[in-house]
Amino acid sequence: MEEEFRKMRRFKQEITEEECRKVLKEAPRGVLALHGENGYPYAIPLNQFYNEEDGKLYFHGALQGLKLDLITKNNKVCFTVLDEGFKKEGEWPWHFRSVVCLGRMEIVENRDKVLSICRKLAERFYPTKESIEEEIRKAGSRVNVLVMTIDRMSGKLVKEA
C-alpha cells in the first residue's frame, strides 16, 4: 500500500525535483530526525552523500549508538537540508531553498560499499585523496554507513521576511 502524503500548502514556493536533488547534492549537512525515546523526537545534524545513480541518501557514523538503536525500532526517518541562501540585489532578506525527505533507513551491510560511500562522502570535505585514504586506513573498520530510500521529497524557496 502506497502512503498518502499531504500536498505542500505553500505550493507557489515549491521547487522542482531537479532543484531538490541539486540542494541535496550541494548542501554540506542537514538534520536527520528519528522516532526517539519516551515519545520525544530525536534529531541530529549529519553530513550526507546524495547518490544520483540510485536516488538515495547515504550517511556515515559509528557501529553502535542511539541512532542505530532507534532505526532498528522504527526505520521511518526525515532528513532536512537548507542551501547556503542568497540575497537579491537591493533586498535585505535572505532567500534559501529547503528540502525535506521522508523515507526509510537501513544499514549498509556490504563492507566494500561502506568504504566506497565513505570515500564519496569524504571527497566533499577532505583536501586530498591521500588524506581520505589515511582516514579510511585509521577508522574504516569502525565506520558504519546508513542508506535512506526516499519515499517523499519536497522543497521550497523561502524568503526570510
Side-chain angles (χ1 to χ4, degrees):
M1 181 172 130
E2 197 168 306
E3 294 187 66
E4 202 59 42
F5 292 104
R6 199 182 280 217
K7 299 258 186 258
M8 186 181 296
R9 188 176 59 83
R10 309 282 306 265
F11 63 89
K12 290 181 181 178
Q13 294 174 286
E14 190 169 12
I15 61 175
T16 66
E17 189 173 316
E18 184 178 323
E19 287 176 289
C20 288
R21 288 192 301 268
K22 185 177 188 306
V23 173
L24 288 175
K25 259 183 70 174
E26 295 175 1
R29 70 197 51 81
V31 175
L32 178 67
L34 306 133
H35 296 268
E37 295 178 317
N38 302 316
Y40 289 96
Y42 181 70
I44 52 172
L46 285 177
N47 302 114
Q48 80 279 356
F49 166 65
Y50 177 70
N51 188 343
E52 292 181 282
E53 292 173 19
D54 64 12
K56 296 182 181 187
L57 284 162
Y58 291 86
F59 310 88
H60 78 292
L63 292 172
Q64 56 189 353
L66 179 58
K67 178 174 51 185
L68 295 178
D69 293 346
L70 295 176
I71 289 167
T72 301
K73 289 180 186 171
N74 188 334
N75 74 340
K76 287 186 175 181
V77 299
C78 176
F79 186 67
T80 304
V81 296
L82 300 172
D83 69 5
E84 296 291 321
F86 63 92
K87 287 187 178 185
K88 290 185 179 178
E89 191 161 334
E91 291 188 14
W92 63 267
W94 282 91
H95 296 73
F96 62 89
R97 289 174 185 84
S98 64
V99 177
V100 175
C101 297
L102 302 176
R104 292 161 283 114
M105 191 76 81
E106 297 173 81
I107 298 169
V108 175
E109 301 291 343
N110 180 301
R111 288 310 294 171
D112 291 334
K113 185 167 185 174
V114 166
L115 297 179
S116 172
I117 294 297
C118 284
R119 283 182 179 94
K120 289 177 181 179
L121 182 58
E123 286 172 1
R124 301 182 65 208
F125 303 100
Y126 282 73
T128 65
K129 288 205 183 288
E130 293 79 21
S131 61
I132 293 170
E133 292 307 315
E134 176 64 16
E135 187 63 27
I136 286 176
R137 187 188 64 71
K138 289 190 322 195
S141 65
R142 297 186 316 272
V143 72
N144 192 19
V145 168
L146 300 169
V147 57
M148 180 181 175
T149 300
I150 300 170
D151 295 325
R152 166 101 158 92
M153 176 171 54
S154 62
K156 65 181 177 178
L157 177 63
V158 176
K159 178 180 179 181
E160 279 189 333

